[in-house]
Amino acid sequence: MNKVDVVLGLQWGDEGKGKIADFLTPKYDIVARFQGGPNAGHSLEFNGTKHVLNTIPSGIFHPTCLNLIGNGVVIDPVRIKAEIERIQDSGIDVVKSLRISRKAHIILPTHRLLDAASEFAKGNDKIGSTLRGIGPTYRDKIGRNGLRIGDLQTPDFKKKYEHIKEEHIGLISFYQYSDFDLNSLEAEFFEACDFLKKFTFIDSEYFVNQELSTKKILAEGAQGSMLDIDFGSYPYVTSSNTSSGGACTGLGIAPQVIGKVSGIFKAYCTRVGSGPFPTELEDEIGENLRKKGNEFGATTGRPRRCGWLDLVALRYAIMLSGVNELIMMKSDVLSGFETVKVCTGYNAGGIETDQVPFDLCTTDVKPVYKEFKGWEEDITVCRNLSDLPENFMVYLRFLEKELNMPISIISVGPDREQTIMRLSATA
Ligand code: GDP
Ligand code: IMO
Ligand code: MG
């Protein structure tokens, strides 16, 4: 029987999961998203066009690939409708290529309002949520109060909806939040629910396990390990398990069915939203990384905070997901810096450590850096390892040694073509 390979982000999201999932898709029959929702923005670029996906898996532009939204994902009918219409405009038959788990939970208009109300109430302590209703929807899922995609096909959907809505309205007024027009939000919501009914809803746990006998499946994560609900910098996290355990629960597969786990990281770090970020550069270098890396959110357009690569966080993420292949993104962005730094350890409250402290939010963490001589060469045109400058290779070899694992794919630009394969970086 085949195994399910996984690609996931090892940092604070936006590592380039969309590009890599799309790049690897020709080796797979099915690409499946296992958690998160429209808080994600996964960019892919080919033939001179950039596409941004939020809920739809990144295999959608390959006509022979089937794309599955697993039970671990939360779906906003309004957002997915707009996303599907955008994809259809580029000639893709989404009805044919997409399957949706009946057990995926639905983001209701009041979930989005609750997200906004709760962030509003937190003031300066806000999470920096994408305001897509993710937290409140997962909260209702865990609280056994949610509505699922399969419920759309039941006669009492509207009744169940009204019941939950009433509860939500009570909560929203508790937050003293009143800046909305629920009638118009509901009108577009029910229209989008009807639109969704033309897609195929399945019991995807049976589907995935059955298909594995003949098909190759790639599981695509969203967000990144440092935003994991259990292991990220709580409470500045998202509301799902972004590590490989999330692929098991989000698709209904056993741990021994997981095959290769490819961990994606940028050659530096970014974070969008609030929360601790030990290697953050609030200076000209950080500004330069943002400019050169075009570090603005694919979903919200917010500027991303930038900093040097953090090996303490990266090792932690590799451990949590059992990563056995590394993929380095945005290597090209580091060209032109006189010096490139890497955080090899933390000084946490005066004590040197190579572990992430219990509470990154309240511990005074200072990164310990190793410095490398930079390189001037533009590497966006490189297609082979031998084209890369020696100073870059020194940096790369150091990372491989520190992380005890080869870096199998090196990305040197946003386009599919700007990808250098090493070793056996194939399915
Ligand atoms: P994801 O959420 O992990 O899929 O990542 P995003 O799409 O949010 O952010 C990654 C951004 O970097 C997108 O704008 C990509 O087009 C871009 N990108 C991906 N790989 C590279 C790369 O190697 N170099 C550069 N310069 N940009 C890249
Ligand atoms: P992709 O899949 C980067 C961040 C938000 C916020 C926190 C909680 O594109 O990598 P939420 O809306 O989930 O309640 O927000 O998580 N966040 C992301 N940051 N990339 C993402 O997704 C993110 N999804 C959520 O900025 O700090
Ligand atoms: Mg993104």
Side-chain angles (χ1 to χ4, degrees), residues 217-234:
I217 303 181
L218 179 67
E220 175 186 3
Q223 291 79 54
S225 309
M226 297 309 286
L227 291 172
D228 184 282
I229 181 72
D230 281 282
F231 301 107
S233 45
Y234 193 87

Side-chain angles (χ1 to χ4, degrees), residues 154-165:
T154 60
D156 58 351
F157 177 75
K158 196 82 197 275
K159 198 169 135 214
K160 289 183 192 159
Y161 168 83
E162 290 295 332
H163 178 74
I164 299 172
K165 179 180 97 176

Side-chain angles (χ1 to χ4, degrees), residues 20 37 41 45 52 64-65 80 96 128 139 153 181 183 199 204 219 254 264 269 301 316 418:
I20 290 301
E45 217 172 297
V52 178
T64 59
C65 174
I80 202 174
K96 181 169 149 261
R139 188 162 70 199
Q153 291 169 320
D181 171 7
N183 285 338
F199 293 87
S204 60
I264 306 181
C269 280
Y316 185 57
Q418 293 174 301

Side-chain angles (χ1 to χ4, degrees), residues 32-255:
R33 267 280 299 272
F34 57 87
Q35 45 68 234
N39 46 351
H42 293 181
S43 320
L44 353 166
E45 217 172 297
F46 52 89
N47 301 337
T49 308
K50 179 171 177 162
H51 304 270
V52 178
L53 299 171
N54 304 117
T55 312
I56 305 284
S58 298
I60 197 72
F61 293 103
H62 298 260
T64 59
C65 174
L66 201 70
N67 290 266
L68 169 68
I69 299 178
N71 57 281
V73 176
V74 289
I75 300 175
D76 182 337
V78 177
R79 291 221 157 244
I80 202 174
K81 173 173 178 281
E83 187 178 349
I84 289 170
E85 286 170 346
R86 274 199 315 272
I87 300 168
Q88 281 170 334
D89 285 348
S90 45
I92 304 291
D93 184 349
V94 184
V95 175
K96 181 169 149 261
S97 304
L98 184 68
R99 300 288 179 275
I100 306 177
S101 167
R102 290 198 174 94
K103 296 190 176 70
H105 277 244
I106 301 177
I107 302 176
L108 307 179
T110 43
H111 282 131
R112 278 187 276 143
L113 296 176
L114 276 169
D115 213 358
S118 144
E119 285 284 80
F120 177 70
K122 284 192 163 92
N124 285 342
D125 295 330
K126 68 177 184 191
I127 307 292
S129 152
T130 58
L131 303 180
R132 299 295 191 254
I134 306 297
T137 307
Y138 278 117
R139 188 162 70 199
D140 271 344
K141 173 179 175 173
I142 301 301
R144 298 160 294 184
N145 206 28
L147 278 175
R148 300 183 292 177
I149 286 292
D151 291 323
L152 284 173
Q153 291 169 320
T154 60
D156 58 351
F157 177 75
K158 196 82 197 275
K159 198 169 135 214
K160 289 183 192 159
Y161 168 83
E162 290 295 332
H163 178 74
I164 299 172
K165 179 180 97 176
E166 286 314 313
E167 272 191 29
H168 288 173
I169 285 179
L171 268 170
I172 292 166
S173 63
F174 165 80
Y175 284 120
Q176 300 183 331
Y177 186 78
S178 56
D179 184 18
F180 57 87
D181 171 7
L182 189 53
N183 285 338
S184 74
L185 294 177
E186 282 186 314
E188 60 174 12
F189 173 74
F190 285 111
E191 192 195 326
C193 287
D194 278 341
F195 170 87
L196 269 190
K197 287 181 193 159
K198 62 174 170 252
F199 293 87
T200 311
F201 304 159
I202 59 170
D203 294 319
S204 60
E205 63 280 27
Y206 280 113
F207 175 77
V208 167
N209 283 288
Q210 278 156 8
E211 292 296 282
L212 272 177
S213 58
T214 54
K215 303 268 171 61
K216 295 199 134 209
I217 303 181
L218 179 67
E220 175 186 3
Q223 291 79 54
S225 309
M226 297 309 286
L227 291 172
D228 184 282
I229 181 72
D230 281 282
F231 301 107
S233 45
Y234 193 87
Y236 299 98
V237 292
T238 191
S239 298
S240 61
N241 281 120
T242 56
S243 39
S244 59
C248 293
T249 55
L251 292 174
I253 50 174

Side-chain angles (χ1 to χ4, degrees), residues 9 13-20 39-45 50-53 58 220-223 264 266 268 292-299 304 328-333 380 410-415 418-419:
D14 301 330
E15 296 89 351
K17 299 172 291 293
K19 169 178 168 168
I20 290 301
N39 46 351
H42 293 181
S43 320
L44 353 166
E45 217 172 297
K50 179 171 177 162
H51 304 270
V52 178
L53 299 171
S58 298
E220 175 186 3
Q223 291 79 54
I264 306 181
K266 283 182 192 175
Y268 51 97
K292 296 179 72 173
N294 192 24
E295 294 296 356
F296 296 90
T299 304
R304 296 175 183 147
M328 184 161 90
M329 311 300 291
K330 302 197 99 161
S331 315
D332 52 300
V333 176
T380 57
I410 300 157
S411 176
V412 294
D415 195 275
Q418 293 174 301
T419 314

Side-chain angles (χ1 to χ4, degrees), residues 334-340 372-377 391-392:
L334 290 185
S335 293
F337 288 90
E338 207 176 302
T339 304
V340 172
F372 290 83
K373 200 167 178 320
W375 51 94
E376 282 300 322
E377 294 87 339
N391 283 0
F392 173 83

